[in-house]
Amino acid sequence: MSLILGIESSCDETAAAVVEDGFRVLSSEVASQIAKHAVHGGVVPELAAREHLKALTPVVSGALKQAGVTLKDISAVAVTQGPGLIPALLVGLNYAKGISQINGLPLVGVNHFLAHIYGAFLDSPPDVFADESLYPILALVVSGGHTSLMLIDKEGKAQQLGCTIDDAAGEALDKGAKLLNLGYPGGPVIQKVAAGGDPEKFRFPRPLTGGAGKPVAPENRYNFSFSGIKTALLYHSQKYPEMSGQLLADTVASYQAAVVDVLVRKTADARRTYGARTVVVAGGVACNAELRRRIAESVGNSARLMLAPPKYCTDNAAMVAGAGFHGFRRGRFIDLGADSFARLPRITEVDFVG
Ligand code: KG4
Ligand code: ZN
């Protein structure tokens, strides 16, 4: 049996978790800094780094305690190496280096983006990836930093079919909420306000879907663009400067519908084209009830749908420990010279878990 201690600090959540053999989550502790950043309307990287420094020791101790283990029981430490905010990542990486050195534990660097996909597989049976009927897997990763469609084959190779060419889906929701003075983070508040509104009241654009008489260039078929929706919201808010009540709810519902519609349509197109037998939706925006409902409706019986549970959609360390287990099993360790990285490496093909 292998117990992996996962550590996550890529953005504004300090998280630690203990996962057994890649799938069984024994503990998952998350300390959110949202309140500290909300006053600034977004995440301030240096502030995040300082908060991680304060939170790491209690969060790691809490995760060990919750799992009923000590560092002596741990087989390896897995830490988010990137992508994310460098000042924030560095704190977690250096902390993990310290724990691994002092306790003589191997250290595994985890790609946060792939870990989000892994979040949909936590709590699955340990042989889940051996099931050939799972492949190809189409994964829609939607978070504050990413919007990508990935295709994973049975060898565990992940290929990026497309990604956003400007804002990420979560960023579009966060910036939209900021524009409407709804606070930070935007996704949850947009979902709440949208629940009382009519999503068909206003028509926001669906960029790169071939609407409005603009055919999509082949290279953008699986790419996303959300800046146009955001600009349309800006013009809309100038037209209705005093937005509140039903008008606000209808605006937010229509805005959310545009973002969700683009995500669902592109995912459906890729699923059909590549004959995906599993559709995964992961990342913070995958918490969104409307996205979950629409994607379930779209996938229907044509593929297996794996929606990451909300607690593993937003940033957490269980997904890091789980993904890290596979690196540990294959002896893929990093040393004290390892650095954090800000952006997703230019990947066309990477190992998911194998
Ligand atoms: O995965 P995550 O916690 O951090 C990143 O890696 O970026 O995702 C955060 C994003 C934010 O943009 C937030 O507004 C969005 O996820 N989000 C939601 C919901 N909950 C969080 N978006 C839509 N609906 C939600 N319920
Ligand atoms: Zn994330």
Side-chain angles (χ1 to χ4, degrees):
M1 183 190 69
S2 307
L3 291 182
I4 310 294
L5 170 67
I7 294 176
E8 155 65 34
S9 74
S10 67
C11 192
D12 58 349
E13 331 274 2
T14 317
V18 178
V19 174
E20 183 185 310
D21 293 335
F23 296 96
R24 199 166 155 242
V25 182
L26 301 188
S27 65
S28 178
E29 299 283 304
V30 181
S32 176
Q33 310 172 359
I34 283 177
K36 301 259 176 194
H37 298 279
V39 287
H40 302 284
V43 180
V44 183
E46 276 68 27
L47 177 59
R50 280 202 295 276
E51 293 301 316
H52 286 311
L53 205 52
K54 280 193 254 173
L56 270 164
T57 297
V59 167
V60 168
S61 307
L64 291 167
K65 193 164 169 226
Q66 189 67 30
V69 300
T70 69
L71 278 169
K72 291 200 172 43
D73 304 307
I74 297 294
S75 317
V77 181
V79 62
T80 298
Q81 216 179 334
L85 305 170
I86 290 290
L89 287 163
L90 279 172
V91 177
L93 178 63
N94 286 312
Y95 192 90
K97 282 179 185 174
I99 293 192
S100 92
Q101 278 298 107
I102 293 164
N103 298 281
L105 294 171
L107 184 62
V108 182
V110 171
N111 179 312
H112 178 88
F113 173 85
L114 295 176
H116 267 301
I117 302 177
Y118 195 91
F121 294 95
L122 284 169
D123 295 329
S124 294
D127 57 352
V128 59
F129 294 120
D131 177 359
E132 295 225 345
S133 72
L134 209 62
Y135 305 95
I137 299 170
L138 176 69
L140 171 69
V141 184
V142 271
S143 69
H146 301 280
T147 304
S148 289
L149 275 168
M150 305 291 295
L151 194 70
I152 300 164
D153 66 19
K154 64 177 190 303
E155 273 75 48
K157 293 273 175 217
Q159 178 197 348
Q160 182 158 269
L161 301 179
C163 62
T164 181
I165 58 171
D166 42 54
D167 292 345
E171 203 177 347
L173 295 173
D174 292 341
K175 288 180 178 168
K178 191 171 180 179
L179 196 97
L180 298 171
N181 294 317
L182 294 175
Y184 174 85
V189 64
I190 282 196
Q191 171 172 327
K192 206 165 137 209
V193 176
D198 174 3
E200 286 170 21
K201 184 77 183 181
F202 302 107
R203 181 80 192 166
F204 288 104
R206 271 71 167 158
L208 304 185
T209 57
K214 269 197 227 156
V216 193
E219 68 272 20
N220 281 329
R221 183 164 171 187
Y222 303 115
N223 281 341
F224 300 87
S225 166
F226 293 104
S227 68
I229 308 183
K230 202 181 58 190
T231 308
L233 181 66
L234 175 68
Y235 292 147
H236 178 87
S237 69
Q238 286 165 350
K239 199 164 142 197
Y240 303 100
E242 297 297 321
M243 242 190 283
S244 64
Q246 197 57 44
L247 175 61
L248 178 66
D250 291 342
T251 298
V252 171
S254 303
Y255 186 72
Q256 175 183 262
V259 173
V260 168
D261 200 35
V262 173
L263 297 173
V264 172
R265 280 160 70 174
K266 298 250 173 191
T267 306
D269 183 18
R271 172 176 56 75
R272 284 191 288 265
T273 307
Y274 291 93
R277 285 153 88 192
T278 304
V279 174
V280 169
V281 188
V285 180
C287 285
N288 187 269
E290 184 61 9
L291 175 61
R292 293 172 91 87
R293 187 186 68 76
R294 289 270 327 268
I295 208 108
E297 195 179 81
S298 155
V299 171
N301 295 325
S302 56
R304 186 186 319 194
L305 179 61
M306 296 191 71
L307 295 172
K311 65 180 172 195
Y312 302 142
C313 283
T314 44
D315 287 346
N316 67 89
M319 66 183 193
V320 175
F325 165 76
H326 300 272
F328 165 70
R329 220 183 36 175
R330 298 207 224 148
R332 294 199 177 158
F333 305 127
I334 57 172
D335 58 26
L336 288 181
D339 214 346
S340 306
F341 56 90
R343 303 199 164 274
L344 195 60
R346 232 185 175 327
I347 38 169
T348 46
E349 283 201 345
V350 295
D351 274 332
F352 175 48
V353 285

